[in-house]
Amino acid sequence: MATTLLNSAWLLGLILPLHTPPRCPSPRMCEVSLAQSEAQLRQLTRLESALQAAVEGEDFLEAAAIRDELARLRMDAELAVLSANAEFYRAFSDGDRKAMKGLWLPSEAVVCAHPGHEPLIGLQAVLDSWEEIFKTKGDLSISAANVRCHLHSDDVARVTCIESVQPGNNRLAAINLFERHKDGRWLMCLHQAGPVMAV
């Protein structure tokens, strides 16, 4: 009985980390091509099946090795999301209309809630709002700090950060959601930002 409980506790320690992928120490950039993304998705599916088989066969050493490989693949996905998030802030800061358009999921379900405004729903409404912002933003520079990424699934990720707007040293709390498009790219489906109260 004690051995069974010990094995069960060890097994939980082996599987639970799969649901809490490791965080990136810093939001560094990475490029993931379509071919790389598709290959990673196939490998992820294969490894998840192999992990289940190893656990059912009580081959815990093999299961541990597979778990580590799964964690590495999920880290690669996190870096791709962080790269998409960094590109969003580059396009925002530079007023790059073309780049901004290419960062959003082509869907009528996308949502953008600018500070102090009601949410905009649908791709065209969202892109029109960015067009207006870029016309009037002047020399404002926007950057992201305290960036945190969490993969909700193989296809959905959440990024939280603090936006710093210069000049003026204004700070906004932002939530960005990304979905993996069928072509393998991580595209934004929600952006929401609001002011941070001064303390």
Side-chain angles (χ1 to χ4, degrees):
M1 179 71 168
T3 304
T4 303
L5 287 174
L6 181 61
N7 284 343
S8 298
W10 186 85
L11 186 56
L12 282 174
L14 178 72
I15 294 172
L16 286 178
L18 297 178
H19 299 289
T20 54
R23 285 190 176 163
C24 262
S26 65
R28 58 192 176 117
M29 301 286 284
C30 77
E31 297 289 334
V32 177
S33 70
L34 173 58
Q36 287 174 316
S37 182
E38 289 176 345
Q40 284 181 347
L41 195 55
R42 285 193 301 272
Q43 188 176 10
L44 189 64
T45 302
R46 180 184 60 77
L47 286 170
E48 285 173 342
S49 296
L51 177 62
Q52 183 176 353
V55 169
E56 289 172 358
E58 297 186 1
D59 186 349
F60 298 123
L61 289 178
E62 178 67 12
I66 295 169
R67 177 208 55 199
D68 292 344
E69 180 65 11
L70 279 166
R72 186 192 65 75
L73 281 176
R74 289 192 169 105
M75 179 65 82
D76 289 347
E78 237 180 70
L79 288 172
V81 172
L82 289 169
S83 177
N85 193 70
E87 180 59 18
F88 169 74
Y89 285 102
R90 187 208 62 77
F92 189 173
S93 193
D94 292 352
D96 188 334
R97 293 163 172 81
K98 183 177 179 182
M100 182 61 75
K101 182 177 181 180
L103 290 167
W104 284 86
L105 191 70
S107 167
E108 290 313 301
V110 298
V111 178
C112 186
H114 297 294
H117 293 271
E118 291 186 9
L120 299 163
I121 300 171
L123 183 61
Q124 195 56 56
V126 169
L127 294 178
D128 288 348
S129 74
W130 287 109
E131 185 69 29
E132 288 302 311
I133 288 170
F134 291 161
K135 284 180 186 175
T136 60
K137 82 173 207 63
D139 63 350
L140 286 180
S141 172
I142 298 92
S143 60
N146 299 334
V147 180
R148 298 285 184 269
C149 178
H150 177 74
L151 296 177
H152 289 274
S153 69
D154 294 335
D155 298 313
V156 178
R158 179 190 71 235
V159 176
T160 59
C161 61
I162 300 296
E163 297 177 353
S164 175
V165 183
Q166 301 295 339
N169 200 29
N170 294 311
R171 292 169 11 112
L172 303 166
I175 299 172
N176 300 319
L177 288 184
F178 293 86
E179 286 187 26
R180 194 197 301 260
H181 191 248
K182 60 186 176 185
D183 67 4
R185 293 178 299 147
W186 287 93
L187 298 176
M188 187 169 281
C189 58
L190 178 139
H191 168 71
Q192 181 175 5
V196 175
M197 299 294 289
V199 289

